Amino acid sequence: MIVRLMGTGGADGIPAFYGNDRVSQYARAHRGRDIRTRSAALIDDTLKIDLGPDTYHQMVRDGLDPRAWSALLFTHSDADHFAPDELMYVLYPFVEEDYVQFTIYANEFICDRIQAKFPDWPFELVATHSFHPFTHGEYLVTPVHAFHKPEEDAHNFVIQDGRSTFLYATDTGLWEEPTWNALTQHSIDGMVIECAEAFANSNYDGHLDAHEVLYVVNRLRAEGILRDGAPVLTTHMSSRGDATHQELTEFFAPYGVEVGYDGQVLEI
């Protein structure tokens, strides 16, 4: 399984769209891996996870073709993950297609929003529910509940292709026990986990700081869910986390956690 991190930034990216904080200033000056677009991923060029406002730029940057997508999976409806206006460009009159070549998998809240916005458009929408697996081609996908957005069923995804098992966990918060219980049914070969708050923990429970990332990873390892040596990459970093790429790299290095960056490719 080939996992591409299309974006690894939080809601306002790094540098923050209108930010003048230390991390944003550093990113503007040094660029490289400190430049982060809004978080999204692509599996084997065919399973697209989230459709945020930076999708067009990310696809062009990496020389990819969205016509290869067979599925679009949504984690939740925050604007950095769900930009529904972008869906209009896959159909006539912007192109000659009169049907959509990929299936959209999303929770009921997102499905309702898409149907309300495009009531007569031929999208194939499949409502997803945490802890209810579904198949798409060769893939078995299990949404698990993220402690992030109480008004909807926010998802993290366990994705299996018959050879490897991958966990994509952005906007997780600290999982509740039903999610932990569901994860015990899997042996994870590699994972991506959010680190939005990094070194600046807040009172908001819907994101993880760097120490909480270690708690989650260590528990996954201790319970045998995350196999020995499985790669762990971070994503969804925010300038408000008060950490540059190098600072986070130095913090996580002793614990076998790698700081993800835009365009990074992971083979599992």
Side-chain angles (χ1 to χ4, degrees), residues 146-157:
F147 187 72
H148 180 70
K149 202 171 173 63
E151 62 270 32
E152 65 181 271
D153 184 12
H155 296 331
N156 298 154
F157 291 114

Side-chain angles (χ1 to χ4, degrees), residues 24-196:
S24 293
Q25 291 177 5
Y26 185 91
R28 291 188 181 104
H30 293 85
R31 303 190 65 77
R33 294 181 181 180
D34 282 283
I35 299 293
R36 300 186 184 279
T37 57
R38 270 63 76 95
S39 291
L42 183 63
I43 312 298
D44 294 334
D45 290 340
T46 187
L47 302 185
K48 180 69 172 68
I49 303 179
D50 285 336
L51 187 76
D54 296 329
T55 302
Y56 174 80
H57 163 74
Q58 292 165 346
M59 298 298 289
V60 172
R61 177 199 67 203
D62 292 345
L64 301 171
D65 189 341
R67 291 174 297 181
W69 300 350
S70 66
L72 172 58
L73 284 61
F74 282 109
T75 58
H76 64 297
S77 69
D78 281 346
D80 51 324
H81 300 263
F82 176 57
D85 282 348
E86 300 300 297
L87 290 170
M88 73 175 72
Y89 302 115
V90 305
L91 288 170
Y92 183 86
F94 295 99
V95 293
E96 294 304 313
E97 302 292 343
D98 56 6
Y99 70 97
V100 182
Q101 299 183 44
F102 53 82
T103 304
I104 298 174
Y105 297 94
N107 64 37
E108 290 183 346
F109 184 87
I110 291 176
C111 287
D112 289 345
R113 285 189 58 182
I114 293 173
Q115 288 175 328
K117 190 172 190 65
F118 304 106
D120 300 317
W121 290 45
F123 292 116
E124 182 183 359
L125 291 169
V126 177
T128 54
H129 305 273
S130 285
F131 315 122
H132 291 269
F134 61 87
T135 58
H136 177 86
E138 66 182 283
Y139 300 95
L140 176 65
V141 181
T142 303
V144 295
H145 187 66
F147 187 72
H148 180 70
K149 202 171 173 63
E151 62 270 32
E152 65 181 271
D153 184 12
H155 296 331
N156 298 154
F157 291 114
V158 178
I159 301 173
Q160 299 169 275
D161 65 358
R163 299 171 296 278
S164 302
T165 300
F166 169 65
L167 172 60
Y168 186 76
T170 187
D171 296 65
T172 70
L174 284 171
W175 291 318
E176 298 171 295
E177 288 307 309
T179 296
W180 283 105
N181 292 338
L183 290 173
T184 63
Q185 307 303 310
H186 300 281
S187 178
I188 305 298
D189 298 305
M191 68 177 294
V192 171
I193 185 169
E194 65 128 313
C195 187

